[in-house]
Amino acid sequence: MERRRVSGALWALGVTLLAVAFVAGGALGVYRYAWNFWLYRGFPPPKDPAFVTTTGTTDEISVRSAALGGRSQQVEVYLPPGYASQPSRRYPVFYLLHGFPGRPAAFLLTVRAGVVDDVLSARGLAQPLILVMPFGSTGTFTDKEWANGVRPDEGWETFVARDLVRAIDARYRTIPTGAGRALGGLSEGGYGALNIGLHHPGEFRVLESWSGYERADDLKSIFGSDRGLLAANSPLRTLPAAAAALRRAGTYVWFYSGTTDRLRHQNALFATELGRLRIPHTYFVVRGGHNWAIWRGNASRALLAAASRLAHG
């Protein structure tokens, strides 16, 4: 009788352990799925096609920024195919700003910009680009809008236009002039690219906005209650004053919206203003919304547009 009780207890314990293992395995599976979805947004991991024989490499560096009170920011850098084997060659740089919430690695993992860089180079369709992807916040879910805020040490625009550019030019073989730089981004990063580019004419030859916007969000945490600061960070408001300098610098603006994107109306107005002010630009609407599918699907066009208008090394 005692042995039967012991055997029953052991059987029950075994069933319990199996159940715990099953639940744990299921939880682990859910975690892995969620993590993979966060990294790749439901797309397969990036992989170069077989015809690409020379691939680029990724650096992860930190850039200390005086504009951010000495804070160091993570920066992903993609060095194109041939960078290591051609030590005398200089390269144009495409700076890419992420959206909110977001991290810089999404350009490589979800948009697969590195693979696009490799493919365009392998096919001879575009000159290779150094891709620079900074982290533009103090946390994934902390909104900074890539703007210089009202609080001390919140100069996110200056971090990009001054501290980041200087650090990249000092560390890598870039073409260290505005003619060799493009600035772009997706969603909030597209807004940031336009806003920064209009504030610094000549610093970037090409400005790209992927589903961005041109009116600053009225965020008290960034702009306080300063209506003038809000207007000064709205490209639709600042474009007329910057137009002459943009024309002198030969700035080219390339941007798009999805057919169901609520921000497309701002973009259409911005395109009209660019035309009125005789600033070279391309604006188009593509089928889709405000999501990773549209940004991934147009990555080749975006890199081609930048590479074709930047100086060659």
Side-chain angles (χ1 to χ4, degrees), residues 1 33 72 79 99 105 154 186 204 223 262:
M1 188 70 175
Y33 175 83
S72 290
L79 300 174
E154 292 284 338
L186 57 85
F204 305 93
F223 302 112
R262 63 181 180 82

Side-chain angles (χ1 to χ4, degrees), residues 88-110:
S88 62
R89 181 173 182 176
R90 290 191 170 273
Y91 294 83
V93 184
F94 196 175
Y95 292 85
L96 293 166
L97 310 183
H98 61 76
F100 171 77
R103 305 284 298 194
F107 283 107
L108 298 176
L109 299 179
T110 307

Side-chain angles (χ1 to χ4, degrees), residues 48-97:
D48 279 297
F51 67 81
V52 175
T53 57
T54 305
T55 64
T57 58
T58 304
D59 273 358
E60 185 174 303
I61 65 172
S62 292
V63 172
R64 186 176 296 277
S65 171
L68 302 177
R71 180 184 177 86
S72 290
Q73 287 298 110
Q74 169 202 357
V75 181
E76 300 285 343
V77 179
Y78 192 79
L79 300 174
Y83 183 88
S85 62
Q86 300 181 58
S88 62
R89 181 173 182 176
R90 290 191 170 273
Y91 294 83
V93 184
F94 196 175
Y95 292 85
L96 293 166
L97 310 183

Side-chain angles (χ1 to χ4, degrees), residues 48-276:
D48 279 297
F51 67 81
V52 175
T53 57
T54 305
T55 64
T57 58
T58 304
D59 273 358
E60 185 174 303
I61 65 172
S62 292
V63 172
R64 186 176 296 277
S65 171
L68 302 177
R71 180 184 177 86
S72 290
Q73 287 298 110
Q74 169 202 357
V75 181
E76 300 285 343
V77 179
Y78 192 79
L79 300 174
Y83 183 88
S85 62
Q86 300 181 58
S88 62
R89 181 173 182 176
R90 290 191 170 273
Y91 294 83
V93 184
F94 196 175
Y95 292 85
L96 293 166
L97 310 183
H98 61 76
F100 171 77
R103 305 284 298 194
F107 283 107
L108 298 176
L109 299 179
T110 307
V111 178
R112 64 188 196 106
V115 169
V116 172
D117 204 359
D118 294 349
V119 168
L120 293 178
S121 298
R123 287 179 167 169
L125 297 175
Q127 62 171 326
L129 301 170
I130 295 175
L131 307 177
V132 176
M133 298 145 283
F135 183 37
S137 185
T138 56
T140 301
F141 298 97
T142 305
D143 195 356
K144 299 296 183 181
E145 295 286 305
W146 299 101
N148 286 347
V150 293
R151 297 174 180 172
D153 303 326
E154 292 284 338
W156 296 93
E157 171 190 317
T158 306
F159 158 61
V160 173
R162 184 191 68 193
D163 300 338
L164 178 62
V165 166
R166 290 179 182 176
I168 295 300
D169 283 345
R171 184 162 185 154
Y172 298 101
R173 298 194 313 275
T174 67
I175 298 171
T177 66
R181 301 187 195 110
L183 177 63
L186 57 85
S187 191
E188 178 184 285
Y191 155 77
L194 295 177
N195 192 42
I196 294 170
L198 266 59
H199 288 170
H200 301 269
E203 191 71 18
F204 305 93
R205 170 66 58 80
V206 178
L207 303 177
E208 291 195 6
S209 175
W210 314 350
S211 309
Y213 45 95
E214 291 82 21
R215 291 192 181 103
D217 281 343
D218 190 1
L219 299 173
K220 298 296 187 291
S221 61
I222 299 172
F223 302 112
S225 299
D226 189 335
R227 309 307 296 180
L229 188 60
L230 199 66
N233 284 279
S234 295
L236 270 169
R237 298 283 297 274
T238 60
L239 181 60
L246 294 171
R247 288 195 299 268
R248 286 194 299 270
T251 305
Y252 173 75
V253 183
W254 186 92
F255 61 124
Y256 65 83
S257 297
T259 51
T260 61
D261 191 333
R262 63 181 180 82
L263 300 171
R264 70 187 185 281
H265 302 297
Q266 289 187 36
N267 284 288
L269 286 173
F270 194 66
T272 298
E273 278 294 279
L274 289 168
R276 184 180 70 83

